[in-house]
Amino acid sequence: MKDTVSQAVDEAIAENVTRPAEDATDLHTTPAHGRFLLVLAVTALGVVYGDIGTSPLYALRECFHGPHAIALTPANVFGVLSLIFWALILVVTVKYLIFVLQADNRGEGGILALTALATRIRLLSPSERRWLVILGVFGAALLYGDGAITPAISVLSAVEGLNVATPLFAPYVIPITIGILIGLFLIQRQGTALIGRLFGPITLLWFMVLALLGLVQLVGRPAILGAINPAYAFAFFRANGWAGYLVLGSVFLVVTGGEALYADMGHFGKRPIRLAWFTVVLPALMLNYFGQGALLLANPAAAENPFYRLAPSWALYPLVVLATLATVIASQALISGSFSITMQAVQLGFLPRMNILHTSRTHYGQIYIPAVNWLLMITCLVIVLGFRTSSNLAAAYGIAVTSTMAITTVIFYVVIVERWRWNRVLAGFLAGFFLVIDLAFLGANIIKIPQGGWFPLVLAIFIFTVMMTWKKGRYLVAQRVGEQSKSIEAMMQNFQTNPPVRVPGTAIFLSNVPKSTPTALMANLAHNHVLHEQALLLTVNTASQPHVPDEERVEIEPLGQGIYQITVTYGFMEEPDVPKIVAGLPARGLDFNPNDVSYFVNHTTVIASHMPGMALWREKLFALMAHNAASAADFFCLPADQVFVIGRRVEF
């Protein structure tokens, strides 16, 4: 069966899910149905639900055995289970599955896509609603912290199951965890296709085991299902007061991964994600959590690790192996998500150009970014060595996700008011209801800051500073270049009175400052005193949408005297391929051989100075990033033997 499912998954992905960018919108305009819908739902289990599916390993344990644990009494067990049930219903089911998934940016999701839907993000000028952009970028920075902590806590909690079998494994938990994490990051270069065909079937097996383990306990103690009644949650707060509120920080662990539902929507569409949740994920999670609760009522000593105590002794080692595989899958999803966020941030102008490798010729979206991969690996290893146990890590886990969820709610309010045209009162009531829940969880997690919650916040602040510095720096450099450059109108008037010497051939001058004469063109005229008989001034823009239809991608404006302004627009989920665009220009009326054109590219060396703009330390940070950014020739896929690079220095 596994081979059959894997083959069906591969066929579905190759044909429908990860298409090239120009075909990607078809997935969202034609809802999946029938066998294709089922295949996508199985595939989504591994990619979308890997993180939330491994929360039973540690979530309930932290409520009764963590640093902010509550006393293990029957009333508290019922109260905590009621909180878990309603957290999954209100946060994941209602907020994300029913409402937020509707706020798609042409089929794509994620906090940057939502931000681009709420306000236009300009590459080289300030956006109209800067506060929204700042919120969205900080939310994206927080997700990097989630991407670093999730592999560490997931794999560590799985391997700790060996301690349940025998304390002899205790000294080897950390080395085994480090070995698994290193292996996980080493195989990223091969692409998710290497293990992608196993994602859905293994995760389906994992959820079936979760359900079975919980069901065995529930058969003997079905009364625990009464915890569905929200009265137990209210009684829990009344009885425990402040201590009960702090337990929300551990309860929140059951919904970590909820953001992935929205972020991964572009890969599968809404229907498969919803189908997988309601038919497999939600029932399995509920059965397992309630089964753990039933076990705790019968055996309070199991609070040290209630998940593994659900299993009979003979099944413990196979369960550890399966849990480890499940956590690797969950980690893989977060690592891939970090790659996707980075690509979006690069395209939207928040990070410098990076070496982005496509690991599949047919599966669009399977990318590998070496710099991000190695930085994540180093961060994960530092986290494991620093925190050492999953309980310690649980203190650091949650605050980044709760903050991101609250930010998502605020931006979602703007979208439903301005895009959906909802009444502001109704929109405020809905968003306010979700925000109260988000802030309640956030408040309970803030207390974790001294115990480790500071780590993802510090990491997010650093990444946010880098992203905003790069955005501001690009704007300032573009201003300086614009001040030094002639307008295209002035250049054309100058050519009429002082026509340059023309030579045969076609030259393409890349420029990131629209309506300004490319610096490379001016330098070529100044030093070579000639201009090709056909000159194309090419500017690449990024739209505030994930994909741009082919018919809207290229604009050609004749300027006269064999000179053309070419404007190419890509979505923020698309990778620019300038030679492919150039190859299609002869069909649009331009007469040249694409294999014989010469590309002229600027290489800007930025020099930090005391000029107005940014603090000197930020200018130095920007200069460092610019120095290490991938070259424009590589980023735009230009053929190396047809490129001429012209250097310039800019003080800002």
Side-chain angles (χ1 to χ4, degrees):
M1 173 173 176
K2 183 180 291 185
D3 292 338
T4 303
V5 173
S6 300
Q7 182 180 359
V9 168
D10 286 345
E11 291 173 355
I13 292 177
E15 294 174 6
N16 296 284
V17 180
T18 49
R19 294 181 176 181
E22 58 268 19
D23 298 324
T25 54
D26 293 344
L27 175 63
H28 312 291
T29 56
T30 305
H33 59 276
R35 174 178 175 271
F36 177 44
L37 175 60
L38 293 177
V39 170
L40 286 181
V42 172
T43 311
L45 285 175
V47 177
V48 177
Y49 293 110
D51 187 9
I52 201 170
T54 54
S55 294
L57 285 166
Y58 46 80
L60 192 62
R61 179 193 68 194
E62 293 306 309
C63 295
F64 295 104
H65 195 261
H68 302 290
I70 202 75
L72 204 165
T73 65
N76 286 343
V77 171
F78 272 77
V80 168
L81 287 177
S82 185
L83 290 172
I84 288 174
F85 175 83
W86 287 106
L88 288 170
I89 294 299
L90 295 177
V91 176
V92 181
T93 306
V94 178
K95 177 182 174 180
Y96 281 97
L97 269 298
I98 295 178
F99 285 102
V100 176
L101 249 62
Q102 293 297 116
D104 64 293
N105 192 332
R106 297 203 177 188
E108 295 292 341
I111 194 162
L112 284 180
L114 185 67
T115 304
L117 192 64
T119 184
R120 182 183 177 188
I121 299 177
R122 297 185 175 95
L123 283 178
L124 297 175
S125 60
S127 299
E128 295 176 358
R129 294 176 172 173
R130 192 165 181 267
W131 68 273
L132 267 180
V133 176
I134 290 174
L135 272 181
V137 173
F138 189 65
L142 287 166
L143 287 177
Y144 280 105
D146 187 26
I149 294 178
T150 295
I153 190 174
S154 298
V155 176
L156 191 56
S157 60
V159 177
E160 283 174 346
L162 295 173
N163 287 333
V164 178
T166 171
L168 295 177
F169 282 106
Y172 305 104
V173 168
I174 290 179
I176 292 173
T177 299
I178 289 176
I180 292 173
L181 288 173
I182 291 176
L184 176 63
F185 284 100
L186 286 177
I187 65 171
Q188 294 302 312
R189 178 63 181 83
Q190 305 302 319
T192 54
L194 179 68
I195 53 177
R197 68 175 58 192
L198 298 176
F199 275 18
I202 289 180
T203 311
L204 178 59
L205 176 61
W206 169 252
F207 281 114
M208 292 171 63
V209 170
L210 287 182
L212 180 61
L213 290 175
L215 188 60
V216 169
Q217 295 294 326
L218 289 175
V219 169
R221 303 171 186 88
I224 194 69
L225 293 175
I228 292 174
N229 187 340
Y232 286 104
F234 291 110
F236 174 81
F237 287 130
R238 284 198 304 269
N240 294 283
W242 177 248
Y245 174 71
L246 293 182
V247 171
L248 281 180
S250 299
V251 170
F252 181 76
L253 295 174
V254 306
V255 299
T256 55
E259 277 289 313
L261 308 181
Y262 184 46
D264 290 326
M265 177 172 57
H267 296 291
F268 305 100
K270 304 167 189 173
R271 294 184 65 191
I273 291 176
R274 287 170 174 160
L275 178 64
W277 173 256
F278 286 110
T279 60
V280 177
V281 181
L282 181 60
L285 290 177
M286 291 301 187
L287 285 172
N288 193 267
Y289 284 125
F290 278 79
Q292 289 187 44
L295 175 64
L296 291 178
L297 290 179
N299 181 18
E304 183 180 357
N305 207 320
F307 174 79
Y308 282 110
R309 296 294 184 186
L310 289 175
S313 57
W314 61 265
L316 189 56
Y317 289 111
L319 184 59
V320 170
V321 173
L322 180 59
T324 303
L325 289 175
T327 56
V328 167
I329 291 172
S331 304
Q332 176 68 37
L334 267 295
I335 294 169
S336 300
S338 297
F339 294 158
S340 297
I341 292 173
T342 302
M343 183 175 178
Q344 293 181 26
V346 169
Q347 298 293 66
L348 291 172
F350 291 107
L351 286 175
R353 294 186 297 263
M354 296 186 187
N355 184 20
I356 300 176
L357 305 177
H358 286 269
T359 58
S360 173
R361 294 183 178 180
T362 58
H363 297 182
Y364 182 79
Q366 289 191 11
I367 59 175
Y368 169 69
I369 305 179
V372 175
N373 186 65
W374 302 128
L375 286 174
L376 275 179
M377 185 187 78
I378 292 171
T379 306
C380 279
L381 297 183
V382 169
I383 287 173
V384 171
L385 292 173
F387 288 89
R388 305 193 70 81
T389 70
S390 59
S391 288
N392 292 338
L393 255 177
Y397 199 38
I399 192 165
V401 186
T402 53
S403 302
T404 303
M405 287 184 172
I407 291 172
T408 298
T409 300
V410 173
I411 302 176
F412 176 69
Y413 168 78
V414 176
V415 171
I416 61 179
V417 168
E418 301 198 358
R419 292 280 182 165
W420 297 0
R421 305 297 181 186
W422 278 33
N423 176 276
R424 288 183 178 272
V425 175
L426 180 61
F429 176 79
L430 179 67
F433 174 72
F434 293 144
L435 190 60
V436 167
I437 297 174
D438 294 334
L439 294 180
F441 281 125
L442 178 59
N445 276 282
I446 286 178
I447 199 69
K448 297 180 179 181
I449 290 179
Q451 288 80 38
W454 58 268
F455 181 82
L457 291 180
V458 170
L459 184 62
I461 291 171
F462 172 75
I463 295 172
F464 173 78
T465 302
V466 167
M467 295 173 77
M468 295 307 294
T469 296
W470 181 256
K471 186 75 170 179
K472 179 73 171 183
R474 283 197 67 195
Y475 168 64
L476 293 174
V477 169
Q479 274 192 323
R480 303 290 185 266
V481 171
E483 293 168 358
Q484 301 169 9
S485 302
K486 294 181 179 179
S487 67
I488 291 179
E489 292 79 5
M491 178 193 72
M492 297 304 299
Q493 291 177 0
N494 185 54
F495 285 173
Q496 289 179 353
T497 56
N498 300 294
V501 176
R502 309 299 286 263
V503 296
T506 298
I508 298 178
F509 298 91
L510 272 69
S511 172
N512 62 350
V513 183
K515 304 302 181 182
S516 294
T517 303
T519 305
L521 188 153
M522 302 303 297
N524 184 55
L525 285 173
H527 294 282
N528 297 325
H529 309 291
V530 297
L531 181 65
H532 292 70
E533 62 182 358
Q534 189 166 237
L536 311 181
L537 316 182
L538 193 146
T539 299
V540 177
N541 293 328
T542 301
S544 294
Q545 61 192 56
H547 306 287
V548 173
D550 279 347
E551 59 271 16
E552 301 176 13
R553 191 175 304 283
V554 181
E555 294 182 7
I556 303 175
E557 180 184 354
L559 303 177
Q561 304 183 52
I563 302 175
Y564 298 84
Q565 174 71 58
I566 311 294
T567 303
V568 183
T569 305
Y570 285 95
F572 59 76
M573 287 293 290
E574 299 175 302
E575 184 177 6
D577 188 343
V578 169
K580 182 178 179 180
I581 297 297
V582 171
L585 293 179
R588 304 281 297 269
L590 299 182
D591 184 18
F592 65 91
N593 183 349
N595 295 322
D596 293 334
V597 301
S598 299
Y599 295 91
F600 289 82
V601 180
N602 297 315
H603 175 71
T604 303
T605 301
V606 294
I607 308 297
S609 69
H610 291 282
M611 296 177 66
M614 289 194 299
L616 185 60
W617 68 268
R618 291 186 69 191
E619 292 183 354
K620 291 181 178 179
L621 175 61
F622 177 82
L624 178 64
M625 289 189 289
H627 177 73
N628 290 283
S631 68
D634 291 338
F635 186 75
F636 293 119
C637 306
L638 305 183
D641 56 350
Q642 295 176 240
V643 176
F644 294 87
V645 180
I646 298 177
R648 67 181 175 193
R649 291 165 59 93
V650 175
E651 289 190 8
F652 74 113

